[in-house]
Amino acid sequence: PPPMKKHPITLLILITTATLELAAEQPNVVLIYGDDVGYGDVGAYGSKMIPTPNIDRLAAEGLVFTDGHCQASTCTPSRFSLLTGIYAFRHGIGILPPGAPLTVPTDILTLPKVFQKAGYTTAIVGKWHLGLGTEQSPADWNAEVKPGPLEVGFDKCFLLPSTNDRVPCVYLDNHTVVNLDPSDPLYIGTPPENFNGSTYPDGKINRNAMTYYESSKGHDNSIINGIGRIGYMFGGKTALWNDEEMADEFVVRMREYIAEKKDEPFFLFFSSQDIHVPRTPHPRFHGTTGLGYRGDAMVQFDWSTGEIMKTLEEHGLTENTIVIFSSDNGPTYDNGYLDGSEPKKAGLPGDADDRGHFGAGPYRGGKSSIYEGGTRVPFIVRWPARIKPGTSDALVSQTDLLASFAALLEVELAEDEAPDSRNILPALLGEDKTGLPFMIEEARGKIALREGPWKYIHDESPKLAKSGRKKKNADPAELYNLDDDVAETTNLLEENPEVASKMKDLIQSLIDTGRTR
C-alpha cells in the first residue's frame, strides 16, 4: 500500500514539539548580581529585618544553595573569576583604582563568549569594575572607550564603569559616555594644561561640600552630587549620573534589552550597584527598614529583582529562562560613609547587632575576610522548565558557571581555557547533592581551601606560595570543621595535623599546576 500522508495537524504538532525541545536546550539566562550582599541580607536566608519578597519568591520557585560561593571576598577578583573561570590570584587581580586598564584578556574564552559560541546575544547592565582601555592606551573618555565588555564577549553594555564610590561618575553606553558635552571634556586623575572645563570640590580641603553625607575614611577626593569619591575627575558635568536614580536607570535598560531580544536566546548579566557604598536608595525606599541606607538599598535591590522577574513574565519567558541570583562578596557596613548603616555593636558570628541584624548570617567575617562570611553568599537558581524548587547543601562556586554552561550548551572547552572552572551542572540542576569535592576561596593576600567539612586557611599568600619564598611573621594557618563549627571559632590545626598537611599540599599543587579542571 502507498505510504500514509502526514495530516497537517500531526505535522504541526511535530514541528511545535521539535521547536519546544530546541528551545529547552537554549534557555535564556539572567544573572542577577548583587554588590556586598551578605548571606544574611535576604529573607530566604534568614533575614528578619530586611523585607525581600521578590528574592524570596525567586527562592521559593528555585533551588536555594546553602553553600554557594563567590570566588573572593572583594569585588574585582570575584567578577574576574566569574567571567574567566580563572582564580584571580593567578593574574594578581585586586580591587581596581579609577582609570585602571582592562584586566580580562581579550584573547581568552569568557562566560559571555561561551554563550556567543552557542548562538546567544549577550549584554551586561550595571557595574563593571574590571578596567577599561589598556596600559599602553588608557581609556579616552572623550572618544571610544575601549577595550571593555564588548571586547571580551558582550554584544551590548550599559555600564557603571568602575564603582559608584569611584570616578568617573558617568554612564557608558557601549563605547560612549552618555550625555557628554564635547565642549566640557572628561578627564580622570589630572586634566591637561589650560583646562577650563567643569571642576568639582576637593574633599580633602572642602569637607563641607559633602552635603549628601560625609565620608568616614577615604572617599574624599572629587565630591560629586554632594558625595565624596575615590579619585579625581574633571569636566563631564552634563554626563553625571543621579545616584538616587541609578537602580531605576539600570531597570529601564534591562527592560529595553529583554524586549528587544525576547525572540532569540540571550544572556543578560544584571550587575547591580546595590548595596555598595555610597548607598543612595531612591527616596521611595527610605525608611523601609530600621537599618539605615544599607537596609533600604537592599529593599531597592529586591525591587530591581522583582522588575526583572516581571519583565520575563510579560514576555512569556519565565518557563525557559534560567535566573541566577548571587553576590560578588559578603557584607560590609560603614565602609567609607556616615550613612547610618554602621551598628553600634558589629555582632559576632551568628549574633544580631544592636538592631537585630547580622549581614553574614551565622558565618564569621564579611567583605575582605577569608572566613566564610566573605564568600558564602546567597546563591539561587530558578529554571521552571527543568529545576525542581528546593534547598541544596551542595558546594558550588561562581567560578564554575563557565564550564557548567559550556556543558549545558555543548560548547567544548580547550585544555587551556577556563582552567579553574569545573562542570557542576548536575548540582545546579538539583541532581547532585554534593557539588565540588574541593574549592579555593580568596581574600586580600590570603587563600583558603574547602574540602568536605574542612576548611584550611593557608599561612602564605598565593603569590608567595607560588614563588617559594616565605613571609616574615606570616599569619598562622587555621583549620576548621564547618559541620561542627560554622562560625569558625575553634582552630583545630594542632588536633588534626594530617588533615592540615594534606590540604596544604593540595593548595600548593593547585598553585603550582596553574589549573583546577
Side-chain angles (χ1 to χ4, degrees):
M4 291 181 63
K5 293 184 178 179
K6 280 189 168 60
H7 192 277
I9 294 179
T10 305
L11 189 61
L12 179 62
I13 291 173
L14 289 172
I15 293 172
T16 303
T17 303
T19 302
L20 288 173
E21 288 176 353
L22 179 62
E25 295 172 0
Q26 283 197 312
N28 304 308
V29 178
V30 179
L31 173 56
I32 306 173
Y33 211 50
D35 201 333
D36 299 351
V37 175
Y39 188 98
D41 287 324
V42 174
Y45 285 87
S47 173
K48 298 291 191 292
M49 293 192 67
I50 304 176
T52 55
N54 294 297
I55 302 171
D56 295 349
R57 178 191 156 199
L58 189 68
E61 296 173 355
L63 193 58
V64 177
F65 289 89
T66 62
D67 207 354
H69 292 256
C70 53
Q71 180 55 43
S73 62
T74 50
C75 51
T76 303
S78 279
R79 292 162 192 271
F80 177 87
S81 298
L82 166 71
L83 292 183
T84 65
I86 303 172
Y87 292 151
F89 73 79
R90 299 199 193 280
H91 284 240
I93 303 297
I95 301 175
L96 296 183
L102 179 65
T103 57
V104 180
T106 58
D107 59 351
I108 67 169
L109 184 70
T110 61
L111 179 60
K113 285 182 182 178
V114 167
F115 286 103
Q116 286 182 333
K117 282 176 174 280
Y120 281 59
T121 178
T122 60
I124 175 172
V125 173
K127 174 178 172 177
W128 179 237
H129 206 196
L130 285 165
L132 296 159
T134 67
E135 287 187 10
Q136 296 75 24
S137 181
D140 183 348
W141 298 93
N142 303 296
E144 285 195 316
V145 183
K146 62 180 185 179
L150 302 191
E151 286 67 43
V152 298
F154 290 102
D155 297 311
K156 181 174 179 57
C157 66
F158 185 84
L159 298 183
L160 162 63
S162 183
T163 65
N164 44 329
D165 65 343
R166 287 165 171 77
V167 298
C169 299
V170 299
Y171 295 122
L172 195 64
D173 189 353
N174 291 336
H175 290 140
T176 306
V177 173
V178 177
N179 295 330
L180 182 64
D181 181 354
S183 67
D184 187 22
L186 170 62
Y187 299 97
I188 298 177
T190 305
E193 290 186 26
N194 303 319
F195 174 78
N196 62 357
S198 299
T199 58
Y200 307 97
D202 184 341
K204 290 188 178 299
I205 59 177
N206 188 3
R207 292 189 65 83
N208 290 334
M210 298 182 193
T211 54
Y212 197 89
Y213 45 56
E214 282 193 72
S215 65
S216 58
K217 53 182 181 289
H219 300 82
D220 57 0
N221 300 145
S222 285
I223 300 177
I224 310 293
N225 300 338
I227 301 171
R229 316 286 171 157
I230 296 174
Y232 290 96
M233 69 173 281
F234 300 85
K237 190 170 185 177
T238 59
L240 293 179
W241 64 50
N242 181 316
D243 290 83
E244 292 185 336
E245 295 179 0
M246 190 173 288
D248 289 17
E249 185 70 46
F250 291 157
V251 163
V252 167
R253 301 292 175 156
M254 170 277 296
R255 293 182 67 88
E256 290 176 350
Y257 178 75
I258 291 178
E260 180 185 348
K261 302 299 182 182
K262 65 182 186 297
D263 297 324
E264 55 185 306
F266 62 81
F267 167 57
L268 172 61
F269 183 14
F270 186 86
S271 180
S272 176
Q273 89 288 357
D274 284 325
I275 49 179
H276 195 278
V277 294
R279 304 177 188 109
T280 57
H282 192 279
R284 67 181 182 273
F285 296 108
H286 288 185
T288 49
T289 69
L291 301 174
Y293 277 11
R294 183 178 187 276
D296 298 350
M298 189 63 208
V299 175
Q300 177 171 266
F301 184 35
D302 179 76
W303 168 82
S304 296
T305 301
E307 290 301 299
I308 293 170
M309 295 163 64
K310 186 187 303 182
T311 303
L312 293 172
E313 291 164 3
E314 289 171 357
H315 295 293
L317 301 174
T318 300
E319 185 71 11
N320 199 41
T321 296
I322 299 174
V323 176
I324 300 174
F325 179 93
S326 198
S327 174
D328 65 348
N329 51 250
T332 185
Y333 291 93
D334 173 294
N335 205 35
Y337 296 98
L338 300 174
D339 68 354
S341 297
E342 183 75 8
K344 294 177 182 176
K345 182 172 74 71
L348 297 172
D351 294 339
D353 60 34
D354 64 304
R355 294 176 295 192
H357 183 78
F358 187 62
Y363 301 104
R364 179 179 178 182
K367 184 172 183 174
S368 301
S369 169
I370 195 60
Y371 300 107
E372 285 296 281
T375 66
R376 195 184 294 218
V377 291
F379 199 122
I380 302 167
V381 183
R382 184 187 75 169
W383 185 12
R386 193 158 172 188
I387 296 177
K388 294 180 180 179
T391 301
S392 174
D393 296 330
L395 180 64
V396 295
S397 169
Q398 296 167 10
T399 306
D400 302 295
L401 291 178
L402 191 155
S404 302
F405 278 113
L408 177 67
L409 302 173
E410 298 183 350
V411 174
E412 190 172 344
L413 299 183
E415 187 71 16
D416 62 343
E417 291 177 329
D420 294 310
S421 190
R422 291 166 285 176
N423 177 15
I424 56 168
L425 184 61
L428 297 177
L429 297 177
E431 299 165 0
D432 169 25
K433 302 301 182 183
T434 303
L436 296 167
F438 61 86
M439 180 194 75
I440 288 288
E441 297 173 328
E442 296 183 51
R444 290 180 173 178
K446 282 186 168 289
I447 190 171
L449 178 73
R450 284 283 312 279
E451 187 175 20
W454 296 102
K455 175 168 178 175
Y456 173 79
I457 300 175
H458 202 18
D459 57 357
E460 293 287 358
S461 72
K463 184 177 180 181
L464 286 176
K466 185 175 182 180
S467 70
R469 293 183 288 116
K470 294 293 182 183
K471 178 182 178 182
K472 293 181 180 179
N473 303 318
D475 294 332
E478 300 173 57
L479 181 70
Y480 299 98
N481 186 320
L482 297 180
D483 280 356
D484 302 326
D485 181 21
V486 296
E488 298 167 278
T489 60
T490 306
N491 186 355
L492 300 175
L493 189 74
E494 292 185 4
E495 294 90 335
N496 298 273
E498 291 185 2
V499 173
S501 179
K502 288 180 180 179
M503 295 184 76
K504 182 174 183 175
D505 289 345
L506 179 52
I507 283 183
Q508 193 63 53
S509 173
L510 294 172
I511 290 171
D512 293 341
T513 59
R515 63 184 302 106
T516 304
R517 183 165 54 84

